[in-house]
Amino acid sequence: MELVVALGIGVLTGSGMWLLLRPRTFQVIMGLSLLSYAVNLFIFSTGGLRTGLAPVLEPGAVGSLANHADPLPQALVLTAIVISFATTALFLVVLIASRGLTGTDHVDGRERER
Amino acid sequence: MMPWTSHLMIAPIILPLLVGALMVLAGERRRMLVTGLAIASTTALVVIAILLLLRASGTEETATQVYRLGNWPAQFGIVLVLDRLSALMLVLTALLGLCALTFALARWHKAGAHFHPLFQFQLMGLNGAFLTGDLFNLFVFFEVMLAASYGLVLHGSGTARVRAGLHYIAINLAASLLFLVGVSMLYGLVGTLNMADLASRIPALPAQDRGLVEAGAAILGIAFLIKAGMWPMGFWLPTTYAAASAPAAAILSILSKVGVYALLRIWLLFFGEGAGDSAGFGGTWLVVGGLLTIAFGSIAVLATQNMARLAGAAVLVSSGTLLAAIGVGQVGVTAGALFYLASSVPGIAALFLLIELAERGRDVGADVLAVTREAFGEAEEEDMEDEEIGVAIPAAKAVLGMSFFACALLLAGLPPLSGFLAKFAMLAPLLPSEGEAGLLRWTLSAALLLSGLATIIAMTRAGIDAFWVTPEGNLPRIGLMEFAPVLLLLALSLAMTVGAGPVLQYMQVTADALHAPTAYLRGVMGAMP
């Protein structure tokens, strides 16, 4: 499972990074979204990748991370998702404003001269 | 039961949050109410910050104060920590906020929607970032602060702002992702997010985890350095700051120092002298990066033709100076750097405000303002009448020129203003150096002096172009409301010059506490069961 998750994070990061460096604003925002998915998966994996564990605590079990999933990374992911969702929405607004004001979707607000 | 005064610590976060929310509810139409709320809240923040500063500058026992949210034990809940450094930053933020707000009230707050709520949320994010004692909470406050700053950068709209804002937002979103990666790496290895807890656990880590912890901390550091504008990650900074409206740029001048603050706090906590094998990790990188930033900033200062970009480049120089001075990792230099921080932030903010006033005479900013005002369909006639009431200072240009001169002295580090004292305080412990790091120290000393030379050359040239020309069109009409904040900021630096003894003493004690954070650790861990 580690391999699958690691590959997933790697592929998402790679594609996100490539898109982030592209000249069109739409590609940039897609890149940022992919990167944020990768980061969310990464945060999630820091709690340890194990299956079939109790979400918090089973009755009578000792409260140690061997007996239940680490809840903190899940809380962090949730916060990160909310924040990246909000900032992506905000970026989208700026992107549209930029398209309207400059008449191009190039990230520099003007086409490169050929 | 805690006495009510202990809840004062959370007021710098709660107050702007509530007031900002109220302003959104009140809406744009009730301008008097919103303006009144903004003035009341920002003034109250200054009072609260000064009270907190007085409390933090007391005896060693009361210097570190911990506020547990929801009264959870520190390792489960989130703590706010007030020490001398955070109290100092709170006071700086509050004073800067008051000045920028007063300046904006004259005309800028009418240039677009929701200026006041954004401004309050900005203050909330800043205060929160300075107060928090938890790494993830720091991320949340960074995001609050950045989200508000995106709005403030775009305030007034216009192609230049949107173009610069697009870059600013994209870069900071990427930096936030790095921040998250760093934080989660540290959590995965150390198992806590409380800064004090992290600091006490890092020395005891097994050797095989050490490399990963350092990598995580380095990624976290990159996120802070992007915010601080270190070369080669600071190319966005001059453009964005130059494009932002003057009051927004003034408050942004402390935003770049949040990165420096976070770095100072976390680096000295995690990799201070007590960190075992990792002690001093990355210090040389900070010095070299800082030096390169100073070099890049100085060249940018000399090369630029535009006054606003000049101020943006000055931000880079001051960031570079701070990073390099912190990276030296010596108590005396850190104390000098703190003094420099407290002196350069108001100086740069005053410069941004001044430039807007000077450029107005050239009808550059005024044109943009007129256009946006039309776009928003505000009651033009009423606004004009309001402005006539302001006292037009005779020989406004002369006063502007004098203030610009004071700013130049302050930023270049020439006597008699506090900029000189700040550079002196950094140079004095830096110079008598022997041993390995000698070359780096000499380079840093030279860079401090040369960057001052570059600044004074560039600002003299810009000043001559702006103030020693035959007036072409109308002289700028400047209300007292717009000039008072500039004078207040400069008076702040004058006060720091006159009261240099006690201020430097305070910085010295702060630097001591940062380099030997036992009181901080004891204060926070004492809040654990």
Side-chain angles (χ1 to χ4, degrees):
Chain A
M1 190 162 68
E2 276 85 358
L3 190 67
V4 176
V5 174
L7 275 177
I9 295 173
V11 168
L12 280 174
T13 312
S15 343
M17 210 59 223
W18 189 75
L19 281 172
L20 186 64
L21 300 173
R22 301 295 300 158
R24 303 285 151 204
T25 46
F26 187 70
Q27 291 169 318
V28 171
I29 201 163
M30 291 311 288
L32 280 170
S33 306
L34 288 184
L35 274 177
S36 77
Y37 298 153
V39 169
N40 289 341
L41 273 178
F42 181 81
I43 300 174
F44 195 67
S45 68
T46 56
L49 292 170
R50 289 168 302 167
T51 50
L53 284 179
V56 183
L57 255 188
E58 279 174 337
V62 186
S64 104
L65 281 183
N67 297 330
H68 63 88
D70 192 348
L72 199 74
Q74 302 172 18
L76 300 189
V77 168
L78 213 59
T79 317
I81 289 173
V82 172
I83 288 178
S84 73
F85 180 71
T87 44
T88 309
L90 202 142
F91 189 56
L92 207 56
V93 173
V94 179
L95 187 155
I96 291 169
S98 165
R99 173 73 182 78
L101 281 170
T102 60
T104 164
D105 64 347
H106 196 280
V107 284
D108 288 336
R110 57 176 164 260
E111 292 295 329
R112 224 163 84 193
E113 282 152 30
R114 289 174 195 282
Chain B
M1 268 307 279
M2 294 198 286
W4 69 271
T5 44
S6 65
H7 292 291
L8 196 65
M9 244 176 90
I10 199 173
I13 300 170
I14 292 282
L15 181 69
L17 172 69
L18 290 180
V19 170
L22 263 180
M23 285 170 173
V24 175
L25 287 180
E28 285 288 293
R29 291 283 138 225
R30 275 174 252 175
R31 176 150 281 154
M32 287 299 285
L33 175 67
V34 169
T35 313
L37 275 175
I39 296 171
S41 154
T42 317
T43 317
L45 278 180
V46 175
V47 176
I48 292 168
I50 290 175
L51 283 178
L52 288 177
L53 181 79
L54 288 178
R55 197 195 281 181
S57 56
T59 55
E60 203 55 49
E61 283 80 49
T62 59
T64 306
Q65 302 198 3
V66 179
Y67 184 86
R68 289 176 294 158
L69 295 167
N71 232 359
W72 287 91
Q75 71 211 104
F76 298 121
I78 289 171
V79 290
L80 300 180
V81 185
L82 175 81
D83 66 350
R84 288 194 178 86
L85 179 61
S86 39
L88 171 73
M89 297 307 285
L90 284 182
V91 170
L92 265 182
T93 311
L95 285 174
L96 209 59
L98 187 63
C99 290
L101 180 75
T102 318
F103 187 89
L105 285 179
R107 52 201 288 179
W108 271 105
H109 72 136
K110 295 172 191 155
H114 297 301
F115 175 82
H116 289 298
L118 282 172
F119 195 83
Q120 294 299 318
F121 292 138
Q122 175 81 81
L123 291 178
M124 173 207 164
L126 283 165
N127 289 339
F130 294 138
L131 277 174
T132 186
D134 181 276
L135 218 45
F136 198 77
N137 209 12
L138 183 66
F139 167 75
V140 173
F141 280 120
F142 255 74
E143 288 306 308
V144 171
M145 172 184 97
L146 288 171
S149 79
Y150 302 151
L152 283 180
V153 164
L154 295 171
H155 179 73
S157 196
T159 314
R161 292 203 180 101
V162 171
R163 207 181 270 170
L166 193 73
H167 293 183
Y168 175 63
I169 297 176
I171 287 164
N172 276 298
L173 288 184
S176 303
L177 295 176
L178 283 179
F179 195 142
L180 278 175
V181 172
V183 166
S184 51
M185 273 180 88
L186 284 177
Y187 175 75
L189 290 159
V190 190
T192 176
L193 284 171
N194 185 297
M195 291 191 217
D197 206 4
L198 271 167
S200 57
R201 286 196 202 180
I202 280 180
L205 276 182
Q208 72 264 24
D209 283 353
R210 195 158 290 281
L212 270 177
V213 164
E214 287 179 356
I219 292 175
L220 197 62
I222 297 284
F224 296 145
L225 289 174
I226 290 176
K227 260 124 207 164
M230 187 175 96
W231 188 89
M233 295 169 284
F235 299 128
W236 57 273
L237 198 147
T239 319
T240 311
Y241 281 35
S245 58
I251 199 83
L252 282 178
S253 71
I254 199 162
L255 213 67
S256 67
K257 300 297 178 287
V258 179
V260 176
Y261 162 84
L263 203 76
L264 182 64
R265 160 129 301 154
I266 286 173
W267 185 58
L268 287 176
L269 263 181
F270 293 1
F271 302 114
E273 274 130 38
D277 295 341
S278 304
F281 165 71
T284 318
W285 282 103
L286 279 183
V287 179
V288 172
L291 282 175
L292 287 169
T293 316
I294 296 177
F296 176 73
S298 304
I299 294 170
V301 162
L302 283 176
T304 181
Q305 302 284 322
N306 177 331
M307 291 230 283
R309 286 190 72 93
L310 191 152
V315 175
L316 282 184
V317 173
S318 91
S319 271
T321 309
L322 282 168
L323 290 176
I326 290 167
V328 171
Q330 196 185 325
V331 181
V333 186
T334 310
L338 287 174
F339 192 89
Y340 180 81
L341 175 78
S343 126
S344 74
V345 167
I348 290 172
L351 184 59
F352 273 117
L353 299 182
L354 264 180
I355 286 169
E356 204 270 330
L357 295 180
E359 299 264 307
R360 188 180 298 168
R362 299 162 162 190
D363 283 338
V364 181
D367 289 349
V368 180
L369 198 65
V371 170
T372 47
R373 212 183 265 166
E374 270 168 29
F376 270 87
E378 295 296 341
E380 184 93 4
E381 280 75 41
E382 285 174 20
D383 293 353
M384 296 308 279
E385 275 169 28
D386 284 348
E387 274 165 24
E388 297 293 332
I389 297 167
V391 187
I393 299 173
K397 216 148 195 181
V399 188
L400 271 182
M402 285 305 289
S403 309
F404 189 81
F405 179 61
C407 273
L409 289 184
L410 194 58
L411 293 180
L414 290 179
L417 288 177
S418 60
F420 167 70
L421 293 171
K423 285 215 168 159
F424 186 77
M426 277 188 285
L427 281 174
L430 203 59
L431 279 177
S433 57
E434 284 155 30
E436 285 180 345
L439 179 67
L440 219 50
R441 280 159 176 250
W442 281 111
T443 321
L444 178 55
S445 311
L448 286 184
L449 298 172
L450 285 177
S451 69
L453 179 68
T455 311
I456 200 75
I457 291 174
M459 289 193 69
T460 313
R461 195 181 54 192
I464 289 173
D465 283 350
F467 301 109
W468 282 5
V469 289
T470 333
E472 295 159 11
N474 310 331
L475 278 169
R477 287 187 63 82
I478 298 162
L480 191 63
M481 277 261 281
E482 288 176 294
F483 211 74
V486 179
L487 289 183
L488 183 62
L489 286 170
L490 291 175
L492 199 65
S493 112
L494 198 67
M496 279 182 61
T497 318
V498 176
V503 177
L504 259 175
Q505 180 63 31
Y506 181 89
M507 301 303 181
Q508 188 64 48
V509 179
T510 311
D512 285 341
L514 282 172
H515 278 270
T518 43
Y520 183 90
L521 295 184
R522 202 166 352 104
V524 179
M525 308 296 267
M528 292 185 179

